[in-house]
Amino acid sequence: MSAPAVAWPVGGYFVAAAVVLASTWPYATVDSPPLMLIAADLASMAALSMAGFALGQLISWRLAAPSLAVLVYVILGSTAFYGDGFFSQLSPTVSHYGLWDRPVWWYGPVFFVWMAGIACTILLLAGRRRGLALAPLAAAAGAAVLLVNSGDDVWRLNPETSALVCANGKPKVCVTELHREQLLGVEAAVKQTYAKLEGISDLPEQWSENPTYEFGDVIPAEKRFLNLGFGEASVNPTMGREVAEPGRYLQEIAQKLAYGNCQGGKWTYPTQSSAVVEWLAGSPDASVTYYGARPKGIDLTVARLEGASTSERNAWLNQYFDAVEKCDAKQVPAS
């Protein structure tokens, strides 16, 4: 009698996962799909379905099913957004965002045992086979202890996606294996930007993604780190690969140059900064939101950069970048 209650949600999830895998397969560049994590999710669906079925057998109240649905939604939702608690490590909705991370090899199988053990325990108890229920209950308990004690240590850097791939040129441009298809576009954008800055001293010697970077890390002056994982990607529907369009990366490169490596709010974002980004990227600074009219100083500075001679422009820019290097907005030249 419990088979339909379990089959429908598990089957629905399986079909949805299969459709997602099939539709994204042509666009995958590296690594393989997390099949064991999908299996663990299927076991989670089975466990929740069995819990609902068992509750329905015990309670005849008409609102039991919707009440349980709301309760489960709240619990799983809380562990999805607040994943630091004890129970979050045991929740199938616990979130972990890391472009270059993957779980250790045993995480999927252990989580599967945890969820499948619960499902089997409930099934056997509902069938009044309490003695047999001890085995899956013990397996689930053992898996739970391992998951809780491991915490976030189950996530490790994935060498298949985090290894750097670099172009042969100066400045040095590198991306991770995950974004290998974007390398030519990024390199072209860097060269296009540097062509505008010919004659400017002390420009960064390397542009690279950094999978191990954490907020607050000290960045060497000769390097700039890229956040390609958060940018847009253009997909060629025929080849199923990203298109190397340098225009997609000009904004980030311009912002990294205009705002430098200043940490802890030491840069006050004068209007000249937005103007430098706009002049370099060829479009308004997308990182700034204006609450009111756009400052006129931006247009004045852009016009100055566009209308000045090469020597005048370079003198202004050298003074500007010197102020950025010192994180002293007071030394920024006037518009």
Side-chain angles (χ1 to χ4, degrees), residues 7 31 39 43 63 65 82 94 115 130 137 159 204 220 236 263 275 305 326 333:
D31 212 356
L63 296 180
Y82 306 99
V94 61
M115 288 283 94
R130 297 177 182 176
L137 180 61
N236 184 323
Q263 303 287 335
L305 291 171
K326 296 175 181 178

Side-chain angles (χ1 to χ4, degrees), residues 23 27 41 67 73 97 101 118 134 141-142 149 167 225 245 289 301 334:
S23 60
Y27 310 109
D41 285 341
S67 299
Y73 181 84
Y97 183 79
D101 290 355
I118 292 177
L134 292 176
N149 288 336
F225 291 146
E245 296 180 3
T289 301
T301 304

Side-chain angles (χ1 to χ4, degrees), residues 261-287:
N261 286 327
C262 301
Q263 303 287 335
K266 294 181 179 179
W267 190 249
T268 57
Y269 296 91
T271 57
Q272 292 94 321
S273 297
S274 295
V276 171
V277 172
E278 183 169 335
W279 178 73
L280 285 173
S283 59
D285 187 354
S287 68

Side-chain angles (χ1 to χ4, degrees), residues 85-86 88-90 103-104 106-107 110-111 142-156:
F86 172 84
S88 64
Q89 306 301 332
L90 302 177
V104 292
W106 53 262
Y107 178 69
V110 169
F111 206 96
V145 170
L146 182 57
L147 291 171
V148 170
N149 288 336
S150 298
D152 283 339
D153 289 340
V154 298
W155 295 97
R156 307 288 174 82

Side-chain angles (χ1 to χ4, degrees), residues 71-98:
L71 178 62
V72 170
Y73 181 84
V74 171
I75 293 175
L76 296 185
S78 64
T79 56
F81 292 102
Y82 306 99
D84 297 329
F86 172 84
F87 292 106
S88 64
Q89 306 301 332
L90 302 177
S91 171
T93 60
V94 61
S95 60
H96 176 87
Y97 183 79

Side-chain angles (χ1 to χ4, degrees), residues 303-321:
R304 176 172 184 168
L305 291 171
E306 291 177 345
S309 65
T310 301
S311 58
E312 291 175 336
R313 182 191 304 120
N314 285 353
W316 190 96
L317 287 171
N318 274 319
Q319 184 179 347
Y320 173 84
F321 287 127

Side-chain angles (χ1 to χ4, degrees), residues 33-333:
L35 296 180
M36 201 61 223
L37 293 182
I38 294 176
D41 285 341
L42 290 172
S44 303
M45 297 296 294
L48 292 172
S49 302
M50 283 304 309
F53 176 81
L55 183 67
Q57 293 288 92
L58 297 174
I59 302 176
S60 58
W61 185 40
R62 291 182 180 273
L63 296 180
S67 299
L68 178 63
V70 171
L71 178 62
V72 170
Y73 181 84
V74 171
I75 293 175
L76 296 185
S78 64
T79 56
F81 292 102
Y82 306 99
D84 297 329
F86 172 84
F87 292 106
S88 64
Q89 306 301 332
L90 302 177
S91 171
T93 60
V94 61
S95 60
H96 176 87
Y97 183 79
L99 284 174
W100 301 282
D101 290 355
R102 69 177 178 189
V104 292
W105 66 268
W106 53 262
Y107 178 69
V110 169
F111 206 96
F112 177 85
V113 171
W114 157 238
M115 288 283 94
I118 292 177
C120 292
T121 300
I122 297 174
L123 177 64
L124 292 172
L125 290 176
R128 302 184 184 279
R129 298 183 179 181
R130 297 177 182 176
L132 294 178
L134 292 176
L137 180 61
V145 170
L146 182 57
L147 291 171
V148 170
N149 288 336
S150 298
D152 283 339
D153 289 340
V154 298
W155 295 97
R156 307 288 174 82
L157 199 64
N158 184 358
E160 293 186 30
T161 58
S162 63
L164 291 181
V165 181
C166 301
N168 296 321
K170 291 185 178 181
K172 189 176 182 180
V173 179
C174 303
V175 299
T176 58
E177 281 283 358
L178 183 65
H179 300 131
R180 173 187 283 270
E181 301 291 334
Q182 301 183 48
L183 178 59
L184 293 179
V186 176
E187 183 188 27
V190 171
K191 288 183 177 180
Q192 182 175 327
T193 302
Y194 275 42
K196 278 192 167 185
L197 296 173
E198 186 175 356
I200 303 301
S201 58
D202 298 326
L203 290 174
E205 300 173 0
Q206 181 175 344
W207 292 80
S208 175
E209 286 189 279
N210 184 9
T212 61
Y213 173 78
E214 295 183 2
F215 184 77
D217 287 353
V218 177
I219 305 173
E222 70 275 8
K223 291 185 178 181
R224 291 294 187 274
F225 291 146
L226 299 166
N227 298 319
L228 300 181
F230 303 98
E232 297 179 0
S234 176
V235 175
N236 184 323
T238 302
M239 299 299 294
R241 290 292 181 263
E242 293 176 5
V243 180
E245 296 180 3
R248 296 185 177 275
Y249 315 105
L250 289 174
Q251 274 277 325
E252 181 179 353
I253 293 168
Q255 290 163 9
K256 293 293 175 65
L257 288 171
Y259 300 133
N261 286 327
C262 301
Q263 303 287 335
K266 294 181 179 179
W267 190 249
T268 57
Y269 296 91
T271 57
Q272 292 94 321
S273 297
S274 295
V276 171
V277 172
E278 183 169 335
W279 178 73
L280 285 173
S283 59
D285 187 354
S287 68
V288 180
T289 301
Y290 304 111
Y291 299 96
R294 170 184 161 101
K296 294 182 179 180
I298 297 176
D299 295 324
L300 292 174
T301 304
V302 172
R304 176 172 184 168
L305 291 171
E306 291 177 345
S309 65
T310 301
S311 58
E312 291 175 336
R313 182 191 304 120
N314 285 353
W316 190 96
L317 287 171
N318 274 319
Q319 184 179 347
Y320 173 84
F321 287 127
D322 183 62
V324 172
E325 183 179 355
K326 296 175 181 178
C327 293
D328 187 358
K330 295 179 180 178
Q331 295 187 26
V332 171

